[in-house]
Amino acid sequence: MRTAIVLCIMLLFGVGQVSAQSDEAVIQTIYKSSLTNGNSYSWLDHLSNKIGGRLSGSLNAQKAVEYTKAELEKLGLDKVWLQPVMVPKWERGAKEEAFYETENNKYRVNICALGGSVATDENGLRAGVVEVQNFEELEKLGRSNIEGKIVFYNRPMQADLISTFNAYGGCVNQRYAGAMEAVKYGAVGVIVRSMNLRLDDYPHTGSMGYGELPVKDRIPSAAISTNDANRLSEDLKKSKNLQFYFKQNCQQFEDVLSYNVIGEITGREFPNEYIVVGGHLDSWDLGDGAHDDGAGVVQSMDVLRLLKISGVQPKRSIRVVLFMNEENGLRGGRKYAEEAKANNERHVFALESDAGGFTPRGFSFDCSDVVFSKILGWKPLFKPYLIHYFEKGGSGADIGPLKDENIVLAGLRPDSQRYFDHHHASNDTFEHVNKRELELGAATMTSLVYLMDKYGTNPIPESTNIKD
Amino acid sequence: MRTAIVLCIMLLFGVGQVSAQSDEAVIQTIYKSSLTNGNSYSWLDHLSNKIGGRLSGSLNAQKAVEYTKAELEKLGLDKVWLQPVMVPKWERGAKEEAFYETENNKYRVNICALGGSVATDENGLRAGVVEVQNFEELEKLGRSNIEGKIVFYNRPMQADLISTFNAYGGCVNQRYAGAMEAVKYGAVGVIVRSMNLRLDDYPHTGSMGYGELPVKDRIPSAAISTNDANRLSEDLKKSKNLQFYFKQNCQQFEDVLSYNVIGEITGREFPNEYIVVGGHLDSWDLGDGAHDDGAGVVQSMDVLRLLKISGVQPKRSIRVVLFMNEENGLRGGRKYAEEAKANNERHVFALESDAGGFTPRGFSFDCSDVVFSKILGWKPLFKPYLIHYFEKGGSGADIGPLKDENIVLAGLRPDSQRYFDHHHASNDTFEHVNKRELELGAATMTSLVYLMDKYGTNPIPESTNIKD
């Protein structure tokens, strides 16, 4: 009996176990706090429904800066401040119009200007259409077939890829570079199939660029809904003389002043080592940016709050950074990294949430193999929360500029199946975010930040008490 | 060089690898077929939007029997048939009405009769309210506090449980047994907080029972939306004389004839060994039963179709069984098992999908440890599809009656976070099912059926070529 008791005591309090058990308990507290007392959903409600779409340089973006700063100030952090950054300002203007005409019929279609596109002239643009799947086809067709026409890029996202981000990656060059490629062959406009795996009527915007093309040579570029893309493609096969018309009223302005919003809990042991958790405060203008990236913003804010209410006092300085202008410029991410470098701030870890507020599945990491092995040792701590995805890969656009040989970068990886149903479209709205899924994401991020802060990101552990 | 080539050939075609590679390729084909050429979503569209809610004994349930039989007949299976089964018939009748009155105000509230409940009398029921969290409180309050009152069960689902099914399990006794417990103390009616983790206005129905209680002693029982439950609870604290009124018009009829719908691909090597894959064709009446369990029905149908179009010719006989009357009787599940036993059919594996059409995470298994070890050896084959959850636990209600020492039972385990937002409520509708999530579930089920058929469920493998 005595032996049994001693054995129990050893099992319960043995040195090798204390640390792991304590981590388990802390992580349990973090998840419970998020699911029963989280604030992410309430913040998201305000950002989405009281403010709305937050395109860089807009009044709404400024409101979001003020709101999130004020909310961070209520959390009792050690510092909250704004980091000025100049951002591009592009406006959609009046809603776009588009239709096409065949010999017999006229069909209205759902389009939206791509971010950064020039407008059509005030009477709109009317021309024949050449459909292509990729730039190679464009080259093959050549100027003789393309000059004076609208190029219609219609390569769909590949449905059999399990990660919808991979499917997006396989298509998005049509959107970003479609105009600068088509203009080489004398095209007068570009219509791109929306980056959406679903068949529906929503056009999906997103950034496009003209490279070095002089302003006078730029051609208007718009996205078309997947349903309309399919119908247009069918009708192009039947009707040789199909004419497409569109009118868009967008405008590029001079850069304007905006801000990254930053809050900090200063570290107790290593105040000069920084851990960043963040998302981007700007969004596209069509929806209210609830998934992209309102979710990442409010989850990141709640990471600091959840650490506090779970009784974690970090060794290192933990910063939440709400980056401005991820969507059409990445100016906020670049500015933050620039200043960090200028101030010789040693950043050891950065985590971004910018893949929607869906059920979290894990993280992707950008770090050395030896550090990754250390991180994999924490994986069992996440199993009760069904967090299973720990893979090397990308992290997040805003934290990318922080990359150097010392920092570990990571991205939260939520379930990706529904993300592109909403991405950059008018249905990226609050009601499509599930409260629990959002909260689970915040808890998952907080738990990783807790472990990174506690054990550091050196391959040689500060403590060897981790149970693998 | 030669050695290298030989080594490559050995690596590529070595006996130990061929089988595993071939499984990988088959499973890849299955997922690709489901995501690019699946039929589950189209069937679900019909079941949900053309037929709708399919409560046992209803005209819609009969339409669903006819539709799914006809669709299975188009698939070129070896057999399709109906298995007769007598089922309960309960009807909701005209929509329920409810309100409560305090000293100063009158509030309409959202309720729905629980399945199997008796009606109120035609003038409705009006009484004071006693709120309790559980049966222990009821007992403590006793007859003196309860007689002549409506008992209001208001224990919420526990938000910090990661599996929402566990949270449901912790609450559902209020719904099922609330009336038979309350009547012991002279209660005249029962109102139950909806089994829903979200705060909203939807009342969620579900089955309840009276045990051996004579019909004349039965009291009406209804669910109230979570928002209204919270307000009622608040107002009960303020208003001593709060009076609750409700009227419901439901009715229990004699049992009626219905059917399980069954299709079979007859096995080539072991035609007398059966593998069952299924869901339940009946649903509650409030929504269109898209998640519960339209999703499981159409996924199960597609398992047989996906096997065929992926070129799999099963060794064993694979049956899809669309069970009738899971929700309020389990008659279909019982009947199928009864007949299987009467006909001495050797069932080796049964898989049910009845947890919604959400992104699949894995399976729970009901089998011996030694068989479970064998199954765990297949887990790496599922990793590319982010299927990670292989645990022992429950399977599915309809396949439960098949349980004996020889059969392996399993349940598909999709992400559970949103399930109870819709479960048994009028928002369990087609537009809340995502096509890709549904298709991933069908592919995941098909892949497991493929492996179970190929390698059998004996702990001693028929083939030892499986890579663990």
Side-chain angles (χ1 to χ4, degrees), chain B residues 276-401:
Chain B
V276 162
V277 58
H280 64 84
L281 199 47
D282 66 305
S283 76
W284 282 104
D285 56 333
L286 294 176
D288 59 36
H291 276 297
D292 187 13
D293 184 27
V297 163
V298 299
Q299 286 172 327
S300 299
M301 291 167 71
D302 226 14
V303 167
L304 274 71
R305 185 180 155 278
L306 291 171
L307 286 172
K308 281 183 87 82
I309 66 173
S310 305
V312 175
Q313 296 186 306
K315 292 180 181 179
R316 294 167 172 83
S317 293
I318 317 282
R319 282 186 185 165
V320 53
V321 183
L322 312 179
F323 296 96
M324 184 51 70
N325 184 229
E326 189 271 348
E327 293 293 3
N328 55 340
L330 208 66
R331 300 280 185 86
R334 290 203 187 104
K335 171 60 84 176
Y336 182 82
E338 229 174 81
E339 298 267 325
K341 203 174 168 189
N343 298 327
N344 271 319
E345 290 170 349
R346 184 171 177 234
H347 280 69
V348 294
F349 176 53
L351 168 62
E352 180 154 7
S353 166
D354 183 20
F358 304 98
T359 299
R361 307 291 295 265
F363 303 96
S364 61
F365 293 93
D366 184 354
C367 62
S368 69
D369 285 339
V370 62
V371 173
F372 186 56
S373 299
K374 177 178 173 176
I375 293 168
L376 282 180
W378 302 333
K379 198 174 161 182
L381 291 166
F382 289 89
K383 200 185 173 202
Y385 311 99
L386 305 180
I387 301 301
H388 64 103
Y389 184 90
F390 283 66
E391 300 288 339
K392 291 192 73 171
S395 56
D398 296 291
I399 58 174

Side-chain angles (χ1 to χ4, degrees), chain A residues 173-236:
Chain A
N173 71 333
Q174 300 173 99
R175 189 193 77 202
Y176 190 79
M180 60 178 133
E181 289 300 315
V183 83
K184 293 178 188 169
Y185 307 98
V188 294
V190 159
I191 297 291
V192 185
R193 181 187 185 92
S194 284
M195 308 286 122
N196 177 9
L197 280 150
R198 200 167 66 165
L199 291 177
D200 64 28
D201 297 322
Y202 297 102
H204 292 227
T205 191
S207 65
M208 57 82 61
Y210 291 107
E212 300 302 310
L213 203 64
V215 174
K216 68 173 177 46
D217 296 335
R218 296 180 180 182
I219 59 173
S221 186
I224 185 169
S225 77
T226 49
N227 273 338
D228 287 336
N230 282 2
R231 198 181 54 185
L232 175 59
S233 180
E234 282 308 304
D235 284 343
L236 278 169

